[in-house]
Amino acid sequence: MQVCKTGQELSMLRDAKRSEKKIIGFVPTMGALHKGHISLIHESISSSNITVASIFVNPTQFNNPSDLKNYPRDLQKDLELLENAGCNIVFVPSVEEMYPAIDTRVFDFDDLDKVMEGQHRPGHFNGVAQIVSKLFDAVKPHKAFFGLKDFQQVAIIKKMTEKLSYNIEIIACPIVREPDGLAMSSRNLLLENKYRELAPLIYAILKESVIKLRTDSPLNVKKWVTKMIGNEPLLELEYFDIVDRWTLKSVEQNSTKDSLIGCIAVWAGNVRLIDNIIYNY
Ligand code: PAF
C-alpha cells in the first residue's frame, strides 16, 4: 500500500494507473476506521482495479469546534486496517494541502440540505461538498463509495456530482451494525459505557417503527418515536423525521410507503448519533 501526503505524489500514481486503463475506486474517510469503512474498501476492491482511500478530518464540515477537536484520530491503526483490507493507495493530506486558501465556494443542493442534518448542522453539507469535490479532483476516481448511515450525505454528494458534471459513479453501501444493532460510527468510540449500553435502543425503536408504519400514518409514527426516545432520560432526541427518500421532504400522511425513510439524530451525553431505516414494504 502506498501512502501519499501531497496531491503531487498522488497525481503521479493516479496518472500512471489511469494510463494503464485501471478502474479507480475511491473511499473518502475521516479516519478512526471501523468495519463500516472496511466494508466500503471491500466493495471498491470487488468492482475496481485500484482502491484509493483518503483520511482527512475536514475542518470545514464541523459546525462545532469541540466536535472537531474531539474527533477520534489514530492514523497508525487506520493505515494497518487499510493495508490488511487490501487498499492500494492512501491519501493523507494536511489541512494546508487541502486548503491552501479559504474555500469560499457555496453549493446549491436544490434544498436537499435544508432539512434534518442540514437544518441542525448549518454549513455542514457545504463543507462536505468542498472537501469531496477537492478529493474527487485529486483522486480522479471512476467510482466513489459512501455508507448509507449518512443517508442525506449520499443524496447531497449525488446532487453535487451531477451539478458539477463529475463522471464518477456514486455507490451507496449498506449500514454496518454492531451485533447489538448500533450503527457503526467513529463517534461510537467517544461513548461512555452508560450511553454505549443504551445506544442500541435507537435502532430497536427504528425497527419497531417499521411495524407501526404498516398500520399508522407517518405523523403518528413520528410522535411515537419521539415519545419512545423521550422515555429514556439519558437520550435526547434532536430530530426524527419520515421523509421521501428521493426529495427528503417530510411526509405526514399516508403515501407510497415504499419510498419512505425514517432518519434520526440523538444525543447520547455529548455524542451525537445518527441512524436511519428504509421502509420497504
Ligand atoms: O462521511 C465522512 O466521513 C465525511 O463526511 C467525508 C465524506 C469523508 C468527507 O469529509
Side-chain angles (χ1 to χ4, degrees), residues 149-204:
K149 182 175 76 66
D150 298 298
F151 186 87
Q152 192 174 3
Q153 172 171 276
V154 175
I156 295 270
I157 287 170
K158 283 186 175 163
K159 180 64 74 183
M160 180 203 82
T161 304
E162 180 196 309
K163 288 209 169 198
L164 299 185
S165 307
Y166 281 112
N167 190 10
I168 299 173
E169 187 185 354
I170 304 300
I171 300 175
C173 302
I175 299 177
V176 179
R177 297 184 180 278
E178 299 287 355
D180 60 15
L182 176 63
M184 289 201 182
S185 163
S186 305
R187 288 191 168 83
N188 294 353
L189 291 171
L190 303 172
L191 288 169
E192 281 173 44
N193 283 346
K194 62 180 178 184
Y195 295 111
R196 174 63 190 83
E197 279 162 25
L198 269 179
L201 190 65
I202 299 168
Y203 183 52

Side-chain angles (χ1 to χ4, degrees), residues 27-31 37 54 56-58 61-62 71 124 127-129 131-132 135 145-147 150 153 157 186:
V27 179
T29 83
M30 297 205 299
H37 296 111
S54 62
F56 180 69
V57 182
N58 172 38
Q61 72 186 76
F62 285 81
Y71 200 82
H124 167 66
V128 169
I131 193 60
V132 172
L135 290 168
F145 299 80
F146 295 87
D150 298 298
Q153 172 171 276
I157 287 170
S186 305

Side-chain angles (χ1 to χ4, degrees), residues 75-89:
L75 182 59
Q76 224 33 57
K77 187 167 161 228
D78 288 346
L79 294 177
E80 273 168 39
L81 286 170
L82 290 173
E83 171 117 61
N84 292 339
C87 181
N88 305 103
I89 299 172

Side-chain angles (χ1 to χ4, degrees), residues 6 9 20 25 31 34 45 48 89 93-94 115 139 156-157 164 175 199:
T6 64
E9 288 169 76
E20 292 165 21
H34 50 69
I45 291 173
S48 327
I89 299 172
S94 64
V115 295
V139 178
I156 295 270
I157 287 170
L164 299 185
I175 299 177

Side-chain angles (χ1 to χ4, degrees), residues 31-96:
L33 303 182
H34 50 69
K35 287 187 189 143
H37 296 111
I38 300 304
S39 75
L40 303 180
I41 298 286
H42 289 153
E43 284 290 335
S44 172
I45 291 173
S46 70
S47 65
S48 327
N49 307 115
I50 294 292
T51 290
V52 181
S54 62
I55 299 176
F56 180 69
V57 182
N58 172 38
T60 71
Q61 72 186 76
F62 285 81
N63 53 321
N64 173 345
S66 69
D67 190 20
L68 172 60
K69 185 166 158 271
N70 296 331
Y71 200 82
R73 296 159 211 242
D74 190 343
L75 182 59
Q76 224 33 57
K77 187 167 161 228
D78 288 346
L79 294 177
E80 273 168 39
L81 286 170
L82 290 173
E83 171 117 61
N84 292 339
C87 181
N88 305 103
I89 299 172
V90 193
F91 183 39
V92 193
S94 64
V95 174
E96 294 70 35

